[in-house]
Amino acid sequence: MENPAWLDADEQRVWRGFLRVNAWIYDDLERDLRERGGLSLIEYGILVHLSEAPERRMRMRALADGVIVSKSRLSHQISRLERDGLVRKQECADDRRGLWAVLTDEGARLLADIAPGHAARVRALVFDRLGPRRTADLEAILATLEPSGDAPMDGIRPADDRSATAGHD
């Protein structure tokens, strides 16, 4: 790139603030979930997605897309959740290569136990601080920044460390 479009001082300040706040919220929620139920934010997101799916099950590929992680990262997380009895894998009858991830009763109980506290923490960190008007502003900003389903952002790949759904919030 010959002439990079450097950020001006205001843009740099906003960008760095965005990164700090994102990291702070993620780290706080991650710590809180580990204390509440021994789960990472990504694992919590997996349980949430499964709890909301028909028959509490999803194809692994769709689940990876939903929680915004790579297929290999999801496989690792599912193995841990399966070891802990929270999720089980099930072969897909119509596709020999495909697998379902299925939320177990134990996983559903854990989720029911920790979801209210997680929602309260999200509310305290974000929505109580913003109020209704700024929440609406944030929603509009996120809608502007979020790539549309038919126009993926070039070069953007799911992150393994700082991306997760925070469902049941």
Side-chain angles (χ1 to χ4, degrees), residues 13-166:
R13 186 182 66 256
V14 169
W15 177 243
R16 289 178 181 176
F18 170 80
L19 293 175
R20 272 192 315 276
V21 168
N22 184 57
W24 171 70
I25 290 172
Y26 185 95
D27 290 347
D28 189 286
L29 293 175
E30 178 88 7
R31 184 176 41 259
D32 184 64
L33 283 170
R34 288 204 184 277
E35 290 171 5
R36 277 181 206 286
L39 296 176
S40 69
L41 192 54
I42 291 171
E43 292 164 341
Y44 177 82
I46 290 168
L47 298 185
V48 167
H49 273 73
L50 292 174
S51 76
E52 295 170 344
E55 300 179 49
R56 297 191 324 198
R57 70 180 192 165
M58 290 180 73
R59 293 287 297 265
M60 294 284 278
R61 176 181 286 278
L63 186 55
D65 291 344
V67 294
I68 317 170
V69 296
S70 67
K71 287 185 288 181
S72 63
R73 175 71 184 261
L74 178 69
S75 180
H76 171 76
Q77 298 300 118
I78 291 292
S79 292
R80 181 178 122 51
L81 292 168
E82 188 175 35
R83 185 190 72 228
D84 292 345
L86 305 174
V87 170
R88 66 181 165 80
K89 293 179 199 163
Q90 182 180 58
E91 289 186 20
C92 182
D94 60 326
D95 179 0
R96 292 182 194 175
R97 293 178 301 151
L99 285 175
W100 294 97
V102 182
L103 183 65
T104 65
D105 290 343
E106 186 176 343
R109 278 191 295 276
L110 176 63
L111 185 60
D113 287 346
I114 65 175
H118 177 67
R121 191 68 194 142
V122 169
R123 177 170 300 288
L125 291 173
V126 180
F127 299 106
D128 288 348
R129 291 168 173 238
L130 292 177
R133 192 184 102 255
R134 286 189 172 153
T135 295
D137 292 344
L138 179 59
E139 181 179 27
I141 291 166
L142 294 174
T144 300
L145 294 176
E146 191 169 38
S148 66
D150 60 344
M153 296 175 69
D154 291 338
I156 302 297
R157 302 270 186 267
D160 284 349
D161 295 328
R162 296 233 177 243
S163 296
T165 184

